[in-house]
């Protein structure tokens, strides 16, 4: 596993973004682990997060695209942080765009924040985590309503590697249904590989009991051939 992936896993632990316990996902599944990017709360944290996203984006998609779109609300700071990091580390000035939940009726009217979209724009979508793939169903119509644009990819922070609507992973289903390339900074398999029975800052994050709970979760909800 690449060093930056190991660092990102530890970064999530430090920021209390990656937690283990008893949780319920947006799709209603009871899960022993949860990823909440809302816990990135400082400028330094967002700066580092943007750098991890930028690396994952550059490795998967290169920089031959025009707009990084972050769906409201969590996607707004993600798109801003990642476009700043792309500019600083790769010298490419990508535009950022996000949607409003409510359309303004005064001033800067419309549904978009940041850059408008132009005909011919190639769009990469940035999200925190995709569990069942439901959010992309809401996001793509917003993007396609902006003109003759082409959504080409989706990047998330963690691939949960579980079933979407069928037996395949949510990211696989998104790829097959919408033709989007997908990638993640890390997968849950990489998280488990890095943390299982390894001390981090004086404690074992994933012990045998938690590993058994994660295995049981994947026995119920794990995707077929998630790689």
């Amino acid at each position: 596993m690449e060093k930056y992936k190991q660092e990102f896993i530890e970064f999530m632990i430090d920021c209390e973004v990656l937690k283990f316990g008893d949780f319920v996902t947006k799709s209603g599944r009871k899960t022993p682990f949860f990823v909440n990017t809302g816990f990135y709360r400082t400028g330094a944290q967002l700066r580092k997060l943007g750098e991890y996203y930028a690396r994952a984006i550059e490795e998967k998609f290169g920089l031959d695209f025009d707009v990084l779109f972050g769906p409201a609300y969590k996607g707004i700071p993600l798109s801003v942080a990642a476009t700043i990091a792309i500019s600083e580390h790769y010298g490419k000035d990508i535009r950022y765009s996000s949607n409003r939940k409510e359309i303004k009726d005064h001033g800067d009217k419309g549904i978009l924040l940041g850059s408008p979209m132009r005909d011919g724009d190639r769009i990469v979508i940035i999200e925190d985590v995709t569990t069942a793939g439901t959010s992309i169903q809401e996001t793509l119509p917003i993007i396609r309503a902006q003109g003759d644009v082409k959504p080409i990819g989706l990047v998330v922070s963690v691939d949960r590697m579980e079933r979407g609507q069928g037996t395949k992973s949510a990211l696989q289903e998104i790829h097959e249904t919408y033709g989007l390339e997908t990638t993640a900074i890390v997968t849950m398999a990489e998280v488990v590989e890095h943390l299982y029975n390894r001390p981090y800052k004086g404690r074992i994050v994933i012990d045998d009991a938690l590993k058994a709970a994660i295995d049981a979760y994947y026995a119920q909800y794990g995707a077929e051939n998630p790689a």
Side-chain angles (χ1 to χ4, degrees):
M1 187 192 317
E2 296 96 322
K3 190 172 186 295
Y4 86 94
K5 291 176 177 282
Q6 298 175 1
E7 292 174 351
F8 178 65
I9 293 167
E10 295 170 1
F11 174 63
M12 287 193 291
I13 296 292
D14 291 342
C15 296
E16 299 184 338
V17 167
L18 173 61
K19 296 184 177 182
F20 298 95
D22 296 310
F23 307 96
V24 178
T25 67
K26 184 178 179 180
S27 57
R29 297 172 181 173
K30 294 182 179 180
T31 173
F33 56 90
F34 196 73
V35 179
N36 184 357
T37 56
F39 276 81
Y40 296 117
R41 292 173 172 172
T42 73
Q45 290 172 348
L46 285 173
R47 184 185 185 94
K48 286 188 68 174
L49 177 62
E51 291 171 357
Y52 289 122
Y53 266 112
R55 175 129 183 210
I57 290 168
E58 195 277 333
E59 284 188 354
K60 178 66 176 183
F61 305 112
L63 298 173
D64 186 22
F65 66 98
D66 306 288
V67 177
L68 188 62
F69 183 86
Y73 289 105
K74 289 182 180 178
I76 296 173
L78 299 182
S79 62
V80 173
T83 50
I84 291 172
I86 289 171
S87 174
E88 289 182 343
H89 292 273
Y90 298 101
K92 181 68 183 287
D93 205 17
I94 300 292
R95 288 145 43 215
Y96 93 90
S97 184
S98 297
N99 64 294
R100 294 184 171 97
K101 288 288 189 178
E102 303 84 16
I103 299 177
K104 287 180 63 176
D105 59 3
H106 63 280
D108 181 17
K109 298 180 181 180
I111 197 170
L112 296 185
L113 298 166
S115 175
M117 296 184 192
R118 308 163 185 161
D119 286 349
D121 277 348
R122 291 162 55 84
I123 317 293
V124 172
I125 302 165
I126 184 170
E127 292 191 352
D128 55 351
V129 179
T130 296
T131 301
T134 52
S135 61
I136 202 73
Q137 298 174 15
E138 303 169 357
T139 300
L140 281 176
I142 295 171
I143 293 174
R144 287 173 172 155
Q146 305 309 310
D148 184 18
V149 299
K150 184 178 181 181
I152 63 169
L154 167 68
V155 58
V156 299
S157 61
V158 180
D159 179 359
R160 289 181 58 102
M161 301 175 65
E162 58 194 80
R163 296 197 305 271
Q165 304 300 318
T167 61
K168 297 181 180 180
S169 75
L171 292 184
Q172 285 177 313
E173 289 181 350
I174 288 169
H175 172 64
E176 293 179 2
T177 302
Y178 303 106
L180 296 177
E181 294 297 324
T182 64
T183 194
I185 303 173
V186 294
T187 68
M188 272 308 298
E190 291 170 328
V191 170
V192 173
E193 174 191 339
H194 185 58
L195 295 176
Y196 177 47
N197 276 346
R198 288 185 181 179
Y200 177 63
K201 293 189 174 178
R203 69 186 180 101
I204 300 295
V205 178
I206 300 180
D207 57 15
D208 290 339
L210 181 53
K211 175 66 160 54
I214 294 172
D215 289 345
Y217 182 78
Y218 279 111
Q220 183 175 6
Y221 294 116
E224 291 182 359
N225 303 316

